[in-house]
Amino acid sequence: MSANSLPTPLVDVEWVKAHLHRPEVILIDCRFALGDPEQGRQAYEQAHIPGAYYLDLNRDLSSPVQTHGGRHPLPDFQQLITKLEALGISSEPATAVVAYDATRGAFAARLWWLLRYLGHDTVAVLDGGFPAWQAAQYPLEQTPPSLPEPVQFMPRFQTHWLVDRNYVTRHKDTAAMVLIDSRSPERFRGEQEPIDPIAGSIPGASNLFWQSNLDEQGRFKTVAELRQNWATVPAADTLVVHCGSGVTACVNAIAQTLLGNAMPKLYVGGWSDWCSYHTSAGNSKQ
C-alpha cells in the first residue's frame, strides 16, 4: 500500500482494520479529557486499537501555558518532530498516519492539523473514533507496541495558516475576514464558561459549533449536510477559525477540507488567549 492511497481527511474503521500492523501506517491514540488530564493515557493503557501509540494533548501536542497564548499553545516543534521520528513517522517516504480519540474527533483533529501544518498531508482522522471501533467489535490490546527504528521527518511549515491576536484585532471588523468561534453557542453568547476565567466572545465573531459538523454517532455529516451547516457563514477572502484554545477549531478545519475548500487560518490562542488581555469581554486592560 502506498501512503498516497490513505483516504483523507477521514478514514473509517473498516479501512483501519484492513491496514492494521502495516509498517507504513501509524495509528495514534489521542484520547484526552480537559477536566482529567490523565484520563486519556489511562484509557489507552486499559485498551487501544492494536498497534496504536499514544500522544498526549498537554505533553506532546502543546507547549507549557504562559501568561498569554492560550491554554494549549502550539508545541515545541523540534520536540514534536523528534517524537514523530521515534514513532516511525517519516516525511519521505510519507508515512500514513491515522489519529483517533473518543471525543468526536476533538483531539485527533489537533494532531491532524499539526501534521498538516508541518507539511505532512498523509494524515487522517478515524471517523467515529474509538467508539466506532468498539461498536464494530474489532480487536483491542493493552500492551503498547514496541518502537520502530527511528526515521527522518523533514517539516515544511505552513506558516500562513496561523494568525495571532494582533492579526485578529486588525481584521475582525473588515469584510475581508470572517472569524468563526467554534465553541458551543452558550459559551459564545457568554451564558456559561466552564474553563476560562471570563465568559464572552471576540467582538465581530460568528459562531459555528464544531459539533454541528457531526451526526449523533460522532461521525462527520455528508458533504451536502456540511454545506447546509456552513451556509450561514458569509463569504470572505480569509476564513479564520478559533475555539477556546486551538483544539476543537481543528474539527471545523476538517469540515472545510471536506467541503473542498482551502485550509482556514487558525487563531490558536482563541478565546483563552483573547480574554487573558481583558478584564471583561471586549474591554482591554489598561
Side-chain angles (χ1 to χ4, degrees), residues 182-243:
S182 310
R183 298 174 302 158
S184 70
E186 296 78 15
R187 291 180 70 193
F188 174 76
R189 294 192 296 262
E191 297 167 1
Q192 59 177 244
E193 183 46 67
I195 306 174
D196 294 310
I198 299 171
S201 57
I202 300 173
S206 300
N207 182 222
L208 196 145
F209 188 27
W210 67 276
Q211 292 198 39
S212 67
N213 298 300
L214 307 165
D215 63 19
E216 293 180 356
Q217 287 73 44
R219 294 179 172 88
F220 275 82
K221 294 177 178 178
T222 66
V223 170
E225 291 169 330
L226 289 173
R227 190 170 290 116
Q228 183 177 9
N229 189 47
W230 285 81
T232 58
V233 175
D237 294 337
T238 302
L239 177 66
V240 176
V241 295
H242 80 88
C243 53

Side-chain angles (χ1 to χ4, degrees), residues 8-219:
T8 184
L10 301 175
V11 295
D12 57 26
V13 293
E14 287 75 24
W15 191 94
V16 173
K17 175 68 162 51
H19 293 84
L20 279 183
H21 305 301
R22 299 288 291 270
E24 65 273 32
V25 179
I26 301 292
L27 303 179
I28 304 293
D29 189 315
C30 300
R31 283 178 287 175
F32 192 81
L34 293 174
D36 183 0
E38 298 303 316
Q39 185 183 101
R41 182 174 292 277
Q42 291 168 357
Y44 170 80
E45 291 172 350
Q46 291 168 3
H48 55 263
I49 298 176
Y53 300 104
Y54 183 76
L55 288 178
D56 182 276
L57 174 65
N58 285 351
R59 297 187 182 100
D60 303 311
L61 307 183
S62 308
S63 57
V65 177
Q66 308 293 326
T67 302
H68 301 298
R71 284 181 280 104
H72 293 102
L74 292 180
D76 178 304
F77 280 108
Q78 189 51 59
Q79 291 182 10
L80 176 60
I81 288 167
T82 299
K83 292 172 185 176
L84 297 175
E85 291 176 334
L87 298 180
I89 299 173
S90 66
S91 53
E92 187 61 43
T95 305
V97 180
V98 176
Y100 71 87
D101 61 32
T103 324
R104 304 172 72 82
F107 305 110
R110 168 78 165 212
L111 177 59
W112 173 87
W113 186 90
L114 286 170
L115 284 169
R116 291 292 311 275
Y117 177 74
L118 292 172
H120 194 83
D121 295 337
T122 54
V123 55
V125 168
L126 176 57
D127 202 15
F130 191 70
W133 185 267
Q134 287 179 301
Q137 298 184 327
Y138 286 157
L140 298 168
E141 68 180 17
Q142 293 179 310
T143 305
S146 57
L147 291 175
E149 288 294 319
V151 294
Q152 188 173 33
F153 187 100
M154 298 296 293
R156 294 177 290 109
F157 291 95
Q158 308 297 305
T159 54
H160 58 289
W161 288 355
L162 281 177
V163 301
D164 59 12
R165 175 179 175 271
N166 291 332
Y167 180 98
V168 173
T169 300
R170 291 197 311 271
H171 297 280
K172 65 183 179 61
D173 297 319
T174 70
M177 186 189 83
V178 170
L179 179 63
I180 296 296
D181 188 323
S182 310
R183 298 174 302 158
S184 70
E186 296 78 15
R187 291 180 70 193
F188 174 76
R189 294 192 296 262
E191 297 167 1
Q192 59 177 244
E193 183 46 67
I195 306 174
D196 294 310
I198 299 171
S201 57
I202 300 173
S206 300
N207 182 222
L208 196 145
F209 188 27
W210 67 276
Q211 292 198 39
S212 67
N213 298 300
L214 307 165
D215 63 19
E216 293 180 356
Q217 287 73 44
R219 294 179 172 88

Side-chain angles (χ1 to χ4, degrees), residues 267-282:
Y267 173 26
V268 177
W271 178 247
S272 59
D273 174 58
W274 186 271
C275 76
S276 71
Y277 292 90
H278 296 67
T279 53
S280 61

